[in-house]
Amino acid sequence: MSEAQVKVHVDKVNKSYGENHVLRDISLDIAENEVVVMIGPSGSGKSTFLRMLNQLETPDNGTIIVDGYDISDKNTDINKVRENIGMVFQNFNLFNNYTVLENIMLAPVELKKLDKVAAEKKARELLETVGLSDKADMPVSSLSGGQKQRIAIARALAMTPDIMLFDEPTSALDPEMVGDVLDVMKNLAESGMTMIIVTHEMGFAKQVADRVVFFESGKIQESGTPDQVFDAPKNERLQEFLSKVTHA
Amino acid sequence: MFKKGILISFLAMLSITTFVFAMGDNLVHADKPNYIISTDATYPPFDFQDKNNQYVGIDQDILKEISKRENFTYTLKPMSFNSAAQLVSNGQADGIIAGMVITEERKAVYDHSTPYYKTGVAWIVKKDSKIKSLKDLKGKTVALKTGTAASEYGKSLQAKYGFNVKYFNDTDTMYNDVAVGNSAATFEDMPVIQYAIKNGVKLKVMNADNPGNAGWYGFFVKKGENKALLSAFNRGFAAIKKDGTYDKIVAKYLGANQSTFTGAKKDNFSVLGILKANKSAFLKGLWQTIMLTFLGIILASIWGVVLGVMGVSQNKFVRGVSTTIIYIFRGLPLMVLAFFIYIGLPGVIGAKIPAFTAGVLTLVLNEGAYTGAFVRGGFEAVEVGQMEAARSLGLPYRTAMRRVIMPQGLKIMVPSFINQFIITLKDTSILSAIGLLELTQTGSLIVARNSQGFRVWAIVAIMYLIIITLLTWFSNWAQKKLQ
Ligand SMILES: Nc1ncnc2c1ncn2[C@@H]1O[C@H](COP(=O)(O)OP(=O)(O)O)[C@@H](O)[C@H]1O
Ligand SMILES: [Mg+2]
């Protein structure tokens, strides 16, 4: 991978919560347009890692460079970097005090990326792409989980990010809602978005991932193409993990 | 923006009103010296309000006569005896006339006038009491008024006769405690109790011929200060003594019949009659309570929100300041805070603080601290995910607070705000302690002259309930508007 293509560069990052050493010497490079899926048992450090990429968590040491900005450097304006990194949470975290449209428009208008008219136009287009045009003026509390998550994706996209982070975006959904959200994500992947996704949806991973990364005990134990990881796993713990999730 | 404009002009109007309120009683003629004289608000026959809400009594008439002859004016500050005395000792008032006995202790703090009235301490029991001598008080409760010479005399007998002591802030409540049998006896200055009994208080004096600790009433100024006022008082007193004015004044009150000061009897034996006879007093008290509540609520809410916002600041120091302020002002009892601001603070900053301003400041600091605590709590109660989502979009902390966290937090807080508004209204009654003539103090004054405790307090209670009802109704309306 040449320097120009690298979107995310992580080098020897460590993180502890008290005695709990959550991330151990993690290094990982992610290229532009790449879709990386992170799998692993719960508590293995996937969320912590993901949240470090937009500094919702700070590493104890190591280097993290995103979009060319060294975010482990205190002098970096993290708000500027975050504008280009969208994040989608397991629990949606839509702003309860706004309507659907206002949720999507808030950041572009507040950060003066767009004026109100342009922001609304863009918001309506995004609602169209996630298939929820009719919900524009609804309060968010009236939506189902699947709808909320699609709105959350639209909200992140309104800032035209070039990286999207997903932390178990379908884990809090009823099974019949999962498909709609995954479809939106697939389309996004096809459009060339750089994506880092934590998920337990193995079928989805196989379909869209360029690379699958297996986390266990705060370490990347194995990584490779979906074929390598799912069909010919080398790491013993990965084998064990896969047998558990596929037989569950 | 439009709404903000209205709010600002509204606040400006309020501050002007407060200012006028505070200054109103200081408007005086520039050519004569004007003194601030504090007095006990309820100490008949020396100091009390008549049916026209004028302060009258032996002290008041003496003072008025002397001021005429000596060509000075004065602003009267009626309040509880203790506060009235402290007001002089810390320089907030120039002199005090309040049936105050000249004692060695007081000589250390004050300079006093020619003694103007001979007094002594009576000990008093219920009219049909079986108690015969002080010895019978063993194990019983004796009611005393805080800070008076009579109470000190009573206290000095405590060890010898083995009674318990219960303290009161005003005379009327203290008499009542004995009259209903809660306390077995009380100690009071002889002329005061004689006047009260003459006017129908159901008590009797046990030592009319043999007053304890006989002494003299004097007019006091702070030691070493206001020499001109003191000599004016002495000169004037000598004059009214000489020409018989003084004797007339004393005869007027000790020969007085209560209805002279309180209106016709029938006015006092029905709620309507009392309301009619005291209409202007009640209205003034009501208005004062409403103004205090109103300013208290608005300013305390603003201050509370500021404290709450500081409490969730990213800056550790700012958070610490907020926590400390909340801790201090939530911990201080309202009355202590009121006394501190009104009586303690002026000595330090060297400027007089009008009672109304001190009252509002007390409310703002106390209620504001409570408000700050629940505002901070409300912000903290908003899910962390809301902040994380806002920050992940690139919004700075302040923008995220303002646009996402605060609107949600404030919504959570609405019931706490309404609750605090009602508490603020009730707390205004405590400010009667610094002499503010709000509803409770108005009630005390009226009861002091007509002894119709039940009816007057019923009227006052109903007035509070009406304001609380209006306030609740308004708050609920505002809450609906918000959602
Ligand atoms: N804020 C925190 N404080 C303390 N421990 C934490 C915190 N966040 C995560 N952890 C701990 O770090 C470990 C990794 O958590 P996480 O990154 O959420 O794992 P995963 O997303 O893979 O389930 C867990 O043991 C978890 O308890
Ligand atoms: Mg997780």
Side-chain angles (χ1 to χ4, degrees):
Chain A
M1 248 183 299
S2 83
E3 279 296 315
Q5 287 174 300
V6 175
K7 269 303 209 189
V8 177
H9 170 75
V10 178
D11 192 33
K12 294 212 186 64
V13 157
N14 281 281
K15 173 79 177 175
S16 296
Y17 291 110
E19 297 285 281
N20 188 3
H21 200 164
V22 176
L23 295 179
R24 299 160 188 261
D25 268 340
I26 302 274
S27 297
L28 184 71
D29 279 354
I30 294 166
E32 188 158 11
N33 303 338
E34 195 179 10
V35 176
V36 174
V37 168
M38 304 201 290
I39 58 172
S42 128
S44 57
K46 305 181 298 294
S47 295
T48 307
F49 176 78
L50 199 68
R51 291 158 59 83
M52 246 169 220
L53 300 183
N54 66 352
Q55 221 188 68
L56 287 181
E57 307 285 349
T58 44
D60 297 337
N61 53 47
T63 310
I64 301 176
I65 294 172
V66 177
D67 247 354
Y69 294 100
D70 182 354
I71 65 167
S72 31
D73 179 354
K74 277 207 165 68
N75 296 321
T76 305
D77 178 2
I78 188 65
N79 293 327
K80 271 273 162 278
V81 184
R82 280 172 175 161
E83 287 180 12
N84 290 322
I85 312 172
M87 186 162 202
V88 175
F89 302 84
Q90 182 174 344
N91 294 317
F92 331 124
N93 295 339
L94 291 181
F95 304 136
N96 299 315
N97 53 322
Y98 294 118
T99 64
V100 167
L101 204 62
E102 288 165 342
N103 260 274
I104 303 173
M105 289 167 60
L106 180 73
V109 172
E110 281 294 329
L111 296 169
K112 305 210 160 53
K113 289 238 148 180
L114 297 171
D115 63 30
K116 271 209 168 140
V117 178
E120 180 170 342
K121 183 161 171 281
K122 171 140 200 191
R124 289 194 188 277
E125 282 166 17
L126 285 166
L127 279 177
E128 181 93 48
T129 43
V130 299
L132 291 169
S133 290
D134 53 328
K135 304 290 181 197
D137 297 313
M138 298 275 202
V140 295
S141 58
S142 67
L143 304 175
S144 73
Q147 292 168 337
K148 280 182 183 166
Q149 198 59 300
R150 282 182 282 157
I151 302 296
I153 295 172
R155 177 178 67 180
L157 292 175
M159 289 298 292
T160 51
D162 32 65
I163 303 171
M164 285 284 286
L165 311 176
F166 294 85
D167 193 358
E168 301 199 30
T170 57
S171 293
L173 301 182
D174 291 337
E176 69 271 19
M177 309 272 183
V178 172
D180 291 339
V181 173
L182 293 183
D183 285 344
V184 170
M185 290 169 66
K186 258 179 229 164
N187 290 337
L188 199 56
E190 276 158 22
S191 76
M193 178 67 75
T194 309
M195 293 163 77
I196 307 165
I197 305 165
V198 176
T199 186
H200 294 296
E201 297 289 334
M202 297 304 160
F204 171 79
K206 269 182 204 164
Q207 256 187 303
V208 300
D210 297 314
R211 190 153 42 126
V212 177
V213 175
F214 173 61
F215 264 75
E216 210 269 348
S217 304
K219 276 192 168 153
I220 296 179
Q221 306 281 0
E222 186 164 340
S223 79
T225 64
D227 289 347
Q228 290 168 337
V229 170
F230 289 120
D231 298 335
K234 290 185 218 92
N235 182 286
E236 225 170 85
R237 291 171 182 183
L238 173 57
Q239 291 164 2
E240 202 179 306
F241 173 74
L242 287 175
S243 74
K244 264 191 209 149
V245 287
T246 43
H247 293 116
Chain B
M1 284 304 110
F2 180 60
K3 273 191 207 148
K4 237 186 214 165
I6 290 184
L7 186 70
I8 288 170
S9 33
F10 189 62
L11 282 178
M13 233 170 63
L14 277 177
S15 359
I16 292 168
T17 323
T18 323
F19 188 71
V20 171
F21 242 89
M23 297 306 292
D25 47 12
N26 287 342
L27 296 174
V28 286
H29 304 286
D31 52 333
K32 296 180 185 179
N34 182 65
Y35 299 106
I36 295 173
I37 309 288
S38 66
T39 187
D40 190 334
T42 57
Y43 196 57
F46 290 91
D47 310 278
F48 61 106
Q49 266 192 327
D50 71 4
K51 62 187 168 200
N52 302 317
N53 308 315
Q54 298 302 308
Y55 283 91
V56 295
I58 297 174
D59 284 351
Q60 296 306 318
D61 286 15
I62 289 176
L63 182 62
K64 196 184 278 170
E65 277 300 324
I66 292 176
S67 75
K68 266 190 227 155
R69 285 164 204 242
E70 291 296 320
N71 213 25
F72 65 85
T73 59
Y74 58 93
T75 307
L76 199 65
K77 295 269 173 200
M79 58 190 66
S80 75
F81 175 78
N82 248 345
S83 313
Q86 285 179 58
L87 222 54
V88 173
S89 63
N90 73 6
Q92 280 259 80
D94 300 306
I96 174 170
I97 186 157
M100 190 160 158
V101 174
I102 301 164
T103 63
E104 285 308 313
E105 259 184 357
R106 284 179 181 153
K107 280 183 191 169
V109 184
Y110 306 97
D111 289 331
H112 64 85
S113 68
T114 321
Y116 67 82
Y117 192 93
K118 178 160 196 223
T119 182
V121 179
W123 73 278
I124 304 134
V125 297
K126 198 172 153 182
K127 205 167 186 179
D128 54 5
S129 171
K130 297 208 170 58
I131 288 169
K132 292 253 168 350
S133 76
L134 287 167
K135 290 197 188 83
D136 297 337
L137 292 176
K138 192 171 176 68
K140 301 221 158 65
T141 301
V142 167
L144 295 180
K145 190 170 160 187
T146 35
T148 61
S151 90
E152 255 149 52
Y153 177 71
K155 193 108 206 320
S156 73
L157 301 178
Q158 185 180 15
K160 187 167 166 197
Y161 295 106
F163 50 78
N164 305 314
V165 166
K166 184 169 158 192
Y167 282 104
F168 290 85
N169 267 323
D170 80 289
T171 314
D172 206 75
T173 321
M174 178 177 79
Y175 290 164
N176 198 46
D177 210 59
V178 180
V180 301
N182 286 342
S183 299
T186 182
F187 288 83
E188 180 59 282
D189 295 345
M190 192 64 81
V192 175
I193 189 63
Q194 283 172 334
Y195 173 80
I197 290 172
K198 185 172 267 160
N199 284 321
V201 172
K202 302 215 167 0
L203 300 174
K204 66 178 171 192
V205 174
M206 302 298 284
N207 60 337
D209 301 327
N210 183 24
N213 214 12
W216 289 86
Y217 285 156
F219 169 82
F220 292 79
V221 297
K222 187 178 178 182
K223 197 169 183 63
E225 285 176 24
N226 279 305
K227 297 213 163 75
L229 173 60
L230 195 59
S231 39
F233 187 95
N234 286 338
R235 269 195 312 274
F237 180 69
I240 62 171
K241 188 96 198 241
K242 200 166 168 196
D243 69 7
T245 312
Y246 171 81
D247 290 333
K248 267 187 218 151
I249 291 172
V250 173
K252 175 173 158 197
Y253 288 96
L254 287 184
N257 172 310
Q258 193 179 24
S259 62
T260 319
F261 303 107
T262 60
K265 253 213 163 90
K266 67 172 170 41
D267 282 350
N268 285 322
F269 284 88
S270 76
V271 167
L272 260 180
I274 291 172
L275 263 177
K276 220 157 70 191
N278 299 289
K279 195 170 126 202
S280 73
F282 274 126
L283 281 179
K284 270 192 201 154
L286 187 65
W287 177 242
Q288 186 86 337
T289 289
I290 290 174
M291 284 303 288
L292 283 169
T293 308
F294 199 65
L295 285 172
I297 284 175
I298 290 185
L299 299 176
S301 295
I302 293 172
W303 177 228
V305 170
V306 169
L307 285 177
V309 171
M310 285 167 66
V312 292
S313 162
Q314 279 185 303
N315 184 318
K316 213 163 147 188
F317 176 74
V318 175
R319 276 204 311 274
V321 168
S322 163
T323 310
T324 311
I325 292 176
I326 290 174
Y327 177 80
I328 292 174
F329 289 103
R330 226 169 28 154
L332 284 179
L334 195 68
M335 203 189 286
V336 173
L337 185 58
F339 281 136
F340 179 78
I341 292 173
Y342 189 50
I343 296 173
L345 208 53
V348 182
I349 62 174
K352 289 170 185 169
I353 301 176
F356 187 82
T357 309
V360 171
L361 198 58
T362 305
L363 285 177
V364 170
L365 290 174
N366 179 277
E367 316 293 341
Y370 280 95
T371 306
F374 72 68
V375 168
R376 182 179 61 193
F379 290 153
E380 284 167 354
V382 177
E383 280 176 87
V384 283
Q386 297 283 311
M387 179 55 103
E388 288 182 348
R391 296 306 305 274
S392 77
L393 289 164
L395 294 175
Y397 180 82
R398 278 161 173 268
T399 314
M401 276 312 274
R402 193 165 46 82
R403 299 305 309 269
V404 177
I405 306 303
M406 289 187 182
Q408 294 185 51
L410 286 169
K411 212 162 175 178
I412 299 174
M413 296 162 206
V414 169
S416 308
F417 268 111
I418 295 177
N419 192 36
Q420 196 62 37
F421 292 169
I422 291 171
I423 291 172
T424 306
L425 167 62
K426 292 199 278 190
D427 281 353
T428 58
S429 70
I430 298 174
L431 298 174
S432 59
I434 57 170
L436 277 175
L437 278 178
E438 42 63 69
L439 207 43
T440 302
Q441 179 76 342
T442 304
S444 296
L445 294 180
I446 295 173
V447 172
R449 67 169 182 270
N450 73 4
S451 301
Q452 293 297 315
F454 177 76
R455 292 190 178 91
V456 172
W457 290 121
I459 291 171
V460 169
I462 288 169
M463 285 182 163
Y464 274 113
L465 283 179
I466 290 174
I467 315 178
I468 284 181
T469 308
L470 289 176
L471 192 60
T472 313
W473 177 82
F474 169 78
S475 304
N476 288 338
W477 173 82
Q479 185 176 11
K480 271 203 198 104
K481 279 257 148 176
L482 269 175
Q483 314 208 324

